[in-house]
Amino acid sequence: MAALGRHIIVEYYDCTPNLLNDVSFIESCLESAAKDAGATIINSTFHHFSPYGVSGVVVIQESHLAIHTWPEYGFASVDLFTCGGAVDPWVAYKILKEKFEAGHGSAMELSRGEMALLSQKEFDIKSLRDEKSAENGTPLKTRDIWFTERDDEIALSLKHEAKLFDEQSDFQKVEIYQTKAYGNMLTLDGMVMTTEKDEYVYHEMITHIPTLTHANPKRALVIGGGDGGTVRELLKHGTYDEVIMVEIDEKVIEASKAFLPSIAAALDHPKLNLIVDDGIKYVNAAAERSFDVVIVDSTDPIGPAEGLFTAEFYKEVYRILTADGIMVTQSESPRFNQKVFKEVYEVYRSIFGVKQVHCYLAYIPTYPTGMWSFSYSSKGVSHPLKNIDKERLAAFTRSNKLQYYNEAIHQSAFALPNFVAEMINE
Ligand code: SPD
């Protein structure tokens, strides 16, 4: 052998974009390419970047295979680096070209560590041996595969073991990951919507605050919320005669029923009228003063939820609220989504009146920055702190095993850090 290693630098063009955006698929391709080339896998780490792109490395006993993909260009760059004579990197090259359905592949082989330029150094080889791996004989194989939600400056990553659901609906990409730390997790277009282990924060806070502030809510409307967590919490209140939920995307309901059963638990509740349709269209057609509580459980303002962040929509919500009706929306993160956060509060105030709108916060570890906000807007005089019946609130929290909301949280959630208050002139 004339060199220590063979390094093939590869470019695959005109690949199928969806394949290059599927982190589990890319991981399995690189692993099977490594095995078929004769390598022994030690470790693999793969990241999916939201909305698109995958990076990963498979460490093999004979060096490594590395990849970075640009699904939007159908392009993947790959490094295949092997040492010793037992592994043929060109086998891996051919397998990956086929798996990615590449229209064209180009590769260049470099010799790494030319023997002619090397000379063996004098040292005690025993002192360099890792005793643990020598004992085991073969190295221990480990595997890391990550989902990452990010913007240009911040990223949130969760390690996962499998993707349980992966479909493109008419509106968005619907995926469920089995994460290590937070159980099953729903993402829409690469953004975290809810996870089994921290969903209670969001769902308890978006529902119990308006319900327990309103004197006697009978009819509630939920726009969005297809995972079912919001209606599950609302239906814990016996006061409601009817809860209507309008979710635009049937796939979200299907995926949640199958893989988030504890969140979707009330989707078949007899008091729930579940409508699969456009929430904006539903609100525009609804009768004036027909709902005591309206909850906008939307996704972020990109894609199908964009229209749920407009003044036109909130004017219609105002119209369909009863005289003492309350609207609550998820109003994004004051740290991560500053522009939208400021804008929506201006809009709410222009419709409901400056004094009728309040912001409250909760801490949701799987949303970017963890700090999340909700808006409370009342058509009548209901004030979220002045109008509460402490006895009723205490009785409700006592008889329902809630994990986040309680009487003290109801009060403290409206206490805003100075920088947040200043952003919305509170
Ligand atoms: N960036 C996360 C915003 C999530 C808002 N909706 C979550 C849906 C949970 N029912």
Side-chain angles (χ1 to χ4, degrees), residues 149 191-194 202-203 225-230 297-300 330 332 367-368 372:
E149 178 176 346
M191 287 170 280
V192 178
M193 289 298 123
T194 197
Y202 181 95
H203 294 127
D227 52 72
T230 295
D297 181 4
S298 66
T299 57
D300 303 293
Q330 74 85 3
E332 299 289 310
Y367 287 174
W372 211 256

Side-chain angles (χ1 to χ4, degrees), residues 20 29 103 120 147 167 176 196 204 299 343 352-353 357-358:
L20 294 189
C29 291
Q120 198 133 20
F147 165 89
E167 286 193 35
I176 305 254
E196 285 180 313
E204 290 180 13
T299 57
E343 281 169 6
F352 286 81
V357 178
H358 305 273

Side-chain angles (χ1 to χ4, degrees), residues 116-167:
L117 301 173
L118 296 171
S119 61
Q120 198 133 20
K121 305 290 174 212
E122 290 282 321
F123 68 92
D124 173 11
I125 202 152
K126 272 198 182 147
S127 69
L128 291 186
R129 241 184 237 294
D130 171 350
E131 294 302 329
K132 280 211 178 95
S133 62
E135 271 165 32
N136 289 338
T138 47
L140 190 65
K141 189 190 164 201
T142 56
R143 174 176 182 256
D144 290 337
I145 182 159
W146 295 84
F147 165 89
T148 298
E149 178 176 346
R150 71 168 186 196
D151 72 356
D152 291 340
E153 290 160 7
I154 300 176
L156 164 82
S157 293
L158 288 153
K159 203 189 267 192
H160 63 88
E161 286 168 315
K163 204 195 276 191
L164 306 173
F165 189 95
D166 182 0
E167 286 193 35

